[in-house]
Amino acid sequence: MESEPLNLENDAMEFDMDSAEEEEDNLNASGVDLGQQCSSSDLEPYEGMEFESEQAARIFYNSYARRVGFGTRVSAYRRSRRDNSISTRQLVCSKEGFNPRPDNGAQHKPKRQRIVSRVGCKAHLTVKKQTSGKWAITKFIKDHNHELVPPDQVHLIRSHRHVSGPARSLIDTLQAAGLGATGVMSVLIKQSGGVNNVGFTKVDCQNYMNQSRQRTLGSGAHYIFEYLKQKQAEDPDFFYAVQDGSSGNIFWADSTSRKNYSYFGDTVTFDTTYRTHRYRVPFAPFIGVNHHCQPVLFGCALLLNESESSFIWLFENWLAAMSGCHPISITSDHDRIIRSAILDVFPGTRHRFCKSNIFRETQERLSHSLQSFPTFEAEFQKCVNLTETIAEFELCWGSLLGRYNLIDDEWLQSMYDARQHWVPVYLRDTFFGDTSIAKTSDSTSSFFDGYIDASTNIHILMSQYEKATASRHEKEVKAEYDTINIAPILKTPSPMEKQAANIYTREIFFMFQQELMETLAYPATVINDAGSDVIYQVVKFGEDHKVHYVQYNVVEKKASCSCQLFDFSGILCRHILAVFRVKNVLRLLSHYVLKRWTRKAKSEVVLDEDKLGLPSSHNDSFTDRFEKLSLEATNYVKEGVDSKSVYLVAMDALCEASKKVAAAMCSTPAQPLSQDMNKEKEFNLNGNQTDCDDPSLLSQDEKIKELTTAMVYATETCEAYRAKLLSILREMEEQRLRISLKVQSMRLNRIT
């Protein structure tokens, strides 16, 4: 990648901010999740460490600086000669360089002497954009030429101070009640368990309160209102509402957003990333996820008032725009006021806190502990993400806090009290549209990423809004085109995989295909087959400690798994699919296909057996008849051997049934071919009726009927043998895998 030389100007100018320090204050307010990028061994930067974006690298370095005890600043950068984008970025210690020397010849002396804050520290980190699109550390200098700040004072460093979303809501409420900065800080200190846990100083609080008094649309109000009126005139389905004139909140939703909600409104994310004070506009979109796993817009708001009553007003108007249809689930920031408003407006909706935001808050609240115990953060995330039962989580949580002496931490206790709103193991029984339960981040990719940043003001907001919606529409069109015109590569001869490829969008099919492929390593064993509900134990080869249980109803062909992936994401898990392999269930039934994930998600078509390529209930396939009859026969045998008298009755009934079956087979109606022959028998080519009593014609028809019946019987017999052969081949493959794993285990034991 061709690049220009390093430019030493601070990039804060590019974001149109007052100073570099203002950008430093807001690094932690970003919505970037670092959980997947930094494990316990990555807490200290090293050359070669990769990040998803430049912003992720900056947040990581600032988080590292907080633990060590110094501030950070964004310094030099280099642009690409190809597209003029930033390709290299240097992040430095806040004491890098030197303060400018005063000009003795200047006519006007500064009113106050500036504090000398820079001492030429060489500690820095350089990241460079790779061809893959990721950013990697190319240089890291660790040592400083000054003393580091102790943990109890690190909250005073500029780059580690910011007023978080929950704190802003509380400040707004207390300010509305008449409290000044001193009173507000007293409440915050008490609530946080100490001044060093608040995250900002009294001066920051006072500055925010001063800005809050001035947070109105100002000169942009007229432009916004005119824009909304114009849109409503152009589109009768365009909805907007304004609270209390120009000083209140504003909400709008265009016809596309309202229509998208009718397709994908089962789960919603209320994204308040942009209300943090690093952004100029307090913008808050309602976002969902479409059938291509892309973010989709359900409406937007400008939050000029963050009181509980204002959030209630907003949610009520949004619900009215969505025809009063409540979502199944909603995800929001961890905020007491938002939670209260959601409970008031959506009493039957499952509310979840954004897990990635809680992880970021953990870094802020427990900075001292993270410095003392570098491995705590990774273990904390593992406890939250990877525990699979409530009992396992409770045990892991208690053990974790005990090992790190954090049992008495008030913030952790408050998060434990709210665990049912953010820990995945408590939320698996509800649909959230996440395609993996154990994802480090549960936040939906923001619809407006790349379109709204720190430089976006109220005058350009609407143009960026239109650009974002147009871009997202084009991406959906591209995904739709790929789904229709690019057939996915099938990896098995399974009819179910072929069926899924024709039903699902490409993105969803690949997720289903992955689950289907995993079944090869997951044998299913019956542990309870009493009655129509059979319990299977499903365990991956070599991981006997991870057991999942599947309950399968053999009559209704319905299954439920202890992992609850289908309930949470709407995609069948590998454990249920493993049971389907054992039971020769070769096709997906309609109750296992969520329309919102299919190609027909935005149509009015009702998915039934015909639309899914399944035999209808009145014309079952041979495989269905074979399975049902086999089940009844097995139950009959179990009951018939209880005693000698019952056995004799069962044998007599079986002999009688055998005679009836033989008689039915002899009188099986001929297939369409013979029916056509019968029609030819009745009319000759000239339309005259033939002699139906001709012995030669009757003899010929009987022979055709007999041969057709024999052919049908032979075909069904072959299909039965084929099903049995597939079952035997699967058992052989599973046995081969077991033997292979045992051999590998013996070799490892021999080596060790």
Side-chain angles (χ1 to χ4, degrees), residues 38 138 154 185 205 216 272 346 354 364 372 380 406 424 485 514-515 575 606 655 695 701 707 751:
C38 306
T138 57
V154 74
M185 283 300 294
C205 180
T216 61
T272 53
F346 308 105
C354 183
E364 301 168 8
S372 303
F380 178 76
L406 293 171
N485 295 283
Q514 180 63 33
E515 294 295 320
H575 316 114
V606 177
C655 290
D701 288 343
L707 291 173
I751 293 173

Side-chain angles (χ1 to χ4, degrees), residues 475-529:
K475 289 180 180 179
E476 182 177 342
V477 170
K478 177 64 166 59
E480 199 74 26
Y481 175 86
D482 290 346
T483 293
I484 296 173
N485 295 283
I486 304 177
I489 297 174
L490 302 184
K491 299 182 179 180
T492 73
S494 167
M496 185 181 293
E497 183 185 19
K498 183 178 180 180
Q499 178 197 14
N502 294 327
I503 295 172
Y504 289 128
T505 60
R506 280 176 62 84
E507 189 71 22
I508 297 300
F509 168 72
F510 289 140
M511 298 173 190
F512 174 84
Q513 186 183 56
Q514 180 63 33
E515 294 295 320
L516 186 65
M517 292 295 295
E518 288 291 336
T519 61
L520 295 174
Y522 284 81
T525 307
V526 176
I527 60 174
N528 186 350
D529 61 350

Side-chain angles (χ1 to χ4, degrees), residues 557 615 619-630 712-724:
K557 292 186 179 179
N619 186 26
D620 292 338
S621 68
F622 173 81
T623 303
D624 290 330
R625 298 197 301 271
F626 182 83
E627 288 181 358
K628 291 178 181 178
L629 198 57
S630 298
V712 171
Y713 177 74
T715 301
E716 294 182 346
T717 303
C718 289
E719 190 173 347
Y721 281 129
R722 177 179 175 277
K724 287 291 185 183

Side-chain angles (χ1 to χ4, degrees), residues 622-673:
F622 173 81
T623 303
D624 290 330
R625 298 197 301 271
F626 182 83
E627 288 181 358
K628 291 178 181 178
L629 198 57
S630 298
L631 174 65
E632 293 299 326
T634 302
N635 293 334
Y636 185 82
V637 171
K638 289 180 180 179
E639 296 173 356
V641 296
D642 283 346
S643 65
K644 186 174 182 179
S645 59
V646 174
Y647 168 76
L648 294 174
V649 172
M651 286 301 295
D652 291 340
L654 194 59
C655 290
E656 186 67 25
S658 178
K659 295 176 183 178
K660 292 182 179 180
V661 170
M665 290 180 64
C666 292
S667 61
T668 301
Q671 296 300 310
L673 176 62

Side-chain angles (χ1 to χ4, degrees), residues 36-283:
Q36 293 178 325
Q37 302 178 48
C38 306
S39 64
S40 58
S41 62
D42 298 332
L43 292 175
E44 181 173 286
Y46 60 87
E47 293 185 8
M49 178 186 283
E50 291 189 337
F51 303 90
E52 292 296 329
S53 64
E54 176 204 351
Q55 183 75 350
R58 292 160 64 177
I59 295 173
F60 171 74
Y61 189 56
N62 197 57
S63 177
Y64 162 75
R66 183 183 180 93
R67 291 192 295 271
V68 174
F70 66 95
T72 63
R73 193 175 75 251
V74 179
S75 185
Y77 63 90
R78 177 182 289 128
R79 290 188 178 276
S80 168
R81 297 183 186 275
R82 183 178 306 170
D83 56 7
N84 203 38
S85 64
I86 295 177
S87 60
T88 303
R89 175 74 71 182
Q90 189 176 81
L91 311 174
V92 301
C93 172
S94 59
K95 293 184 178 293
E96 179 267 350
F98 298 90
N99 291 89
R101 295 180 179 180
D103 186 0
N104 295 328
Q107 296 181 354
H108 302 285
K109 293 184 178 181
K111 295 182 179 180
R112 61 184 179 90
Q113 188 72 28
R114 293 183 63 87
I115 299 175
V116 177
S117 58
R118 304 186 183 185
V119 294
C121 182
K122 299 295 184 182
H124 73 273
L125 178 149
T126 302
V127 290
K128 184 176 181 180
K129 190 173 184 178
Q130 308 298 298
T131 56
S132 64
K134 294 186 177 182
W135 291 69
I137 297 177
T138 57
K139 187 175 183 180
F140 172 56
I141 296 181
K142 176 182 178 181
D143 297 328
H144 298 259
N145 67 348
H146 55 88
E147 292 185 358
L148 299 177
V149 177
D152 62 342
Q153 299 174 18
V154 74
H155 66 283
L156 299 174
I157 300 176
R158 290 187 62 84
S159 62
H160 306 314
R161 287 160 34 199
H162 73 280
V163 183
S164 64
R168 292 161 68 89
S169 297
L170 181 57
I171 292 174
D172 288 341
T173 302
L174 296 176
Q175 184 179 11
L179 269 69
T182 302
V184 170
M185 283 300 294
S186 298
V187 174
L188 291 169
I189 292 171
K190 184 176 181 180
Q191 184 186 63
S192 304
V195 65
N196 57 330
N197 295 327
V198 174
F200 51 89
T201 65
K202 180 182 175 181
V203 174
D204 299 321
C205 180
Q206 184 66 65
N207 290 339
Y208 171 77
M209 294 175 69
N210 292 339
Q211 295 170 6
S212 181
R213 296 188 185 100
Q214 303 170 4
R215 281 176 73 191
T216 61
L217 289 177
S219 60
H222 178 73
Y223 171 76
I224 293 292
F225 296 146
E226 289 299 318
Y227 175 88
L228 298 177
K229 290 178 181 178
Q230 178 185 349
K231 284 297 180 181
Q232 192 173 61
E234 296 172 356
D235 180 6
D237 291 329
F238 187 92
F239 181 100
Y240 80 94
V242 181
Q243 179 190 21
D244 300 331
S246 62
S247 62
N249 293 337
I250 299 174
F251 167 73
W252 72 91
D254 60 21
S255 57
T256 302
S257 296
R258 301 176 72 181
K259 187 176 296 184
N260 282 335
Y261 184 78
S262 67
Y263 304 136
F264 311 112
D266 41 16
T267 185
V268 178
T269 295
F270 181 49
D271 184 5
T272 53
T273 301
Y274 304 106
R275 72 173 178 149
T276 56
H277 68 290
R278 73 183 298 265
Y279 295 94
R280 290 190 171 189
V281 289
F283 184 63

Side-chain angles (χ1 to χ4, degrees), residues 74 116 164 305 334 534 740:
V74 179
V116 177
S164 64
N305 188 323
H334 174 222
V534 182
S740 176

Side-chain angles (χ1 to χ4, degrees), residues 303-334:
L303 301 176
L304 304 178
N305 188 323
E306 297 185 9
S307 64
E308 182 177 338
S309 61
S310 293
F311 279 116
I312 291 175
W313 174 90
L314 172 61
F315 294 148
E316 287 177 342
N317 278 273
W318 176 80
L319 190 60
M322 303 302 137
S323 302
C325 297
H326 291 239
I328 295 173
S329 60
I330 186 169
T331 302
S332 76
D333 195 6
H334 174 222

